[in-house]
Amino acid sequence: MKLTELLEADRETLLRTLRGARSPEEAREALERELERLLFAYHDAAPSDRARETAAAMIGALKSALPLLECRGEVKIWEHRPARRGMHLGAAALVLLIAGCVLCLGAAALMLYHAMPAWSAALPPLGGLALALAGAKCARDGRSVPERRAEAVTDWERVYRTVHTAALVMDQTLEEQAAAERWESRRRSAETPALSSAEAELLAALLEAYYSGDGAYALDALGAVRHYLRAKGVETVDYAADSARYFDCMPGERSATLCPALLQSGQLLRRGTATVPERR
């Protein structure tokens, strides 16, 4: 089982979860959960403990690098233009309006009383100018100013491709490691014989006795098994009252050992079999 196969099986579900994430943190948590699922699924099918450890280390490294995977796509510019507010009378516009009114009223009063000094001819133009400036100021203050906002959209397809590429690299590393383990196993098998010299001698003697067709010779050859086990530190124990706890017993005409028990340093390696007479 490959990590890329597990990831491709979850592609649509993962992309749908990422696109629906409300924050980068939520998307990163979804990616972490997916990587943990990949590790658990691979753990059950891994060929060896070493492969499990390697996969766990590589996926852990990828999880620690997830904050770097926030690949940015197209930047969208949003422009919001608020509704026009109409005329707005600010402080400056109010001063100009009052000044214009005062100048115009002053000019009218002088004309009413027929007291028109030479400088009074400038009052009407100045008043009109002040009123015009006040109107322009009101109009400018009332205009709406558009608001702009930039939004960087994460390209989740690109994020998925990045994670998929990392999974391909991990699969290749795991395959190379498995090949190296197989080669090492074959090398050890070639260098280490299947039988030790003592085992080879014992089995050769037993086969020789078997091929001879002589029953007595075969039984004598089988006695060599005891010597071989004794050399290995294994003791063969026959059935007796003090060793009955090492045996599985079945009813018989008399007490007899069918197969001896095997002990090493007082520890039972294999229970023996014996017959015991039935009690009447």
Side-chain angles (χ1 to χ4, degrees):
M1 182 178 294
K2 295 184 178 181
L3 295 173
T4 48
E5 295 174 353
L6 296 171
L7 182 62
E8 289 168 359
D10 289 346
R11 181 180 183 277
E12 296 302 326
T13 303
L14 177 60
L15 287 174
R16 185 164 55 250
T17 302
L18 293 174
R19 294 188 184 107
R22 291 170 293 183
S23 65
E25 291 76 15
E26 185 176 342
R28 187 164 61 248
E29 290 174 359
L31 285 170
E32 289 178 354
R33 288 194 300 270
E34 177 64 16
L35 292 178
E36 290 173 358
R37 195 199 72 79
L38 295 183
L39 180 59
F40 290 149
Y42 180 80
H43 188 274
D44 295 335
S48 65
D49 291 338
R50 186 177 177 184
R52 294 186 185 94
E53 294 172 358
T54 302
M58 291 189 297
I59 290 180
L62 181 57
K63 285 173 62 178
S64 66
L66 285 181
L68 302 177
L69 296 179
E70 294 181 11
C71 304
R72 297 299 182 182
E74 179 184 0
V75 178
K76 295 184 178 180
I77 305 297
W78 301 89
E79 182 175 287
H80 173 66
R81 186 181 296 275
R84 190 178 182 88
R85 294 178 296 179
M87 302 295 287
H88 177 72
L89 185 61
L94 181 60
V95 171
L96 290 172
L97 180 61
I98 294 174
C101 292
V102 169
L103 291 173
C104 291
L105 291 175
L110 292 175
M111 292 176 61
L112 182 62
Y113 291 101
H114 304 287
M116 295 289 293
W119 52 269
S120 63
L123 293 179
L126 290 175
L129 179 60
L131 292 174
L133 291 175
K137 183 66 175 174
C138 289
R140 185 166 58 250
D141 292 343
R143 285 185 302 178
S144 61
V145 179
E147 298 177 2
R148 291 188 176 182
R149 180 167 59 91
E151 179 182 358
V153 181
T154 302
D155 188 350
W156 293 117
E157 288 282 352
R158 185 178 176 188
V159 171
Y160 173 82
R161 290 194 298 271
T162 302
V163 176
H164 189 272
T165 301
L168 284 173
V169 174
M170 288 189 284
D171 280 337
Q172 182 179 358
T173 301
L174 291 171
E175 289 176 0
E176 292 175 353
Q177 183 186 77
E181 289 181 350
R182 290 192 296 269
W183 181 87
E184 182 65 19
S185 178
R186 288 195 297 268
R187 186 187 64 80
R188 286 197 300 265
S189 298
E191 293 179 353
T192 305
L195 299 174
S196 65
S197 59
E199 291 170 340
E201 290 292 336
L202 172 63
L203 294 176
L206 295 176
L207 290 172
E208 182 181 354
Y210 171 76
Y211 277 92
S212 70
D214 187 343
Y217 177 51
L219 291 175
D220 290 339
L222 287 173
V225 175
R226 286 182 176 269
H227 300 292
Y228 174 78
L229 293 175
R230 189 177 299 114
K232 292 287 188 178
V234 178
E235 180 185 1
T236 57
V237 179
D238 293 335
Y239 179 79
D242 58 347
S243 63
R245 62 184 183 277
Y246 299 136
F247 286 81
D248 295 325
C249 299
M250 60 182 64
E253 295 181 357
R254 61 186 179 86
S255 296
T257 301
L258 300 180
C259 181
L262 302 180
L263 280 76
Q264 185 175 27
S265 301
Q267 299 293 324
L268 180 65
L269 299 180
R270 186 183 186 279
R271 295 180 65 83
T273 308
T275 58
V276 294
E278 292 183 299
R279 294 181 180 179
R280 297 179 180 178

